[in-house]
Amino acid sequence: MEDINFYESVYALVREIPVGRVTSYGAIAKALGRDGAARMVGYAMANAGNVRPSVPAHRVLNSKGELSAKAAFGHPNRMQELLEKEGVKIKKDRVVDFKTVFWNPLDEL
């Protein structure tokens, strides 16, 4: 039951990420008081496709700004397309200005 509640908390927080911004699995975990639970955030994101209201999972990346979960989007370029549509620049599966577009929920909420 705890994981289900954690997932719901992850989804609620990810829905707060502004368009054109990205964050990391670790930043989400830390903001939820579960520092070190980045992998659990990743599991939540892997299950986000069927969640309603929708969750902008494409805005959650690894700590290097890489599109590490792009395979979860059904097409190898879909995650990049979603981010680029929001104005996020991607080069070689990595956000170009990661530090500039990084959204840290601890600082911004």
Side-chain angles (χ1 to χ4, degrees):
M1 186 63 98
E2 180 182 340
D3 288 344
I4 292 171
N5 291 333
F6 179 70
Y7 281 20
E8 290 302 323
S9 297
V10 168
Y11 300 147
L13 188 53
V14 171
R15 288 184 189 108
E16 297 295 322
I17 304 169
V19 171
R21 304 288 298 279
V22 297
T23 195
S24 67
Y25 302 106
I28 295 291
K30 191 171 189 175
L32 294 174
R34 298 277 297 266
D35 197 17
R39 189 166 298 214
M40 287 295 294
V41 173
Y43 295 149
M45 291 296 90
N47 290 297
N50 298 320
V51 175
R52 298 292 173 255
S54 64
V55 177
H58 62 283
R59 297 180 190 149
V60 183
L61 313 172
N62 73 16
S63 62
K64 297 176 186 174
E66 297 169 338
L67 312 187
S68 56
K70 67 181 189 172
F73 288 83
H75 186 278
N77 296 326
R78 183 68 180 144
M79 186 177 189
Q80 179 171 336
E81 290 167 355
L82 291 167
L83 288 167
E84 287 177 338
K85 187 176 182 180
E86 296 182 1
V88 178
K89 294 182 175 109
I90 310 294
K91 185 174 183 181
K92 296 184 180 179
D93 292 332
R94 181 177 277 189
V95 172
V96 174
D97 295 318
F98 184 57
K99 289 183 181 179
T100 303
V101 297
F102 185 79
W103 181 80
N104 185 341
L106 289 175
D107 294 339
E108 304 203 37
L109 285 180

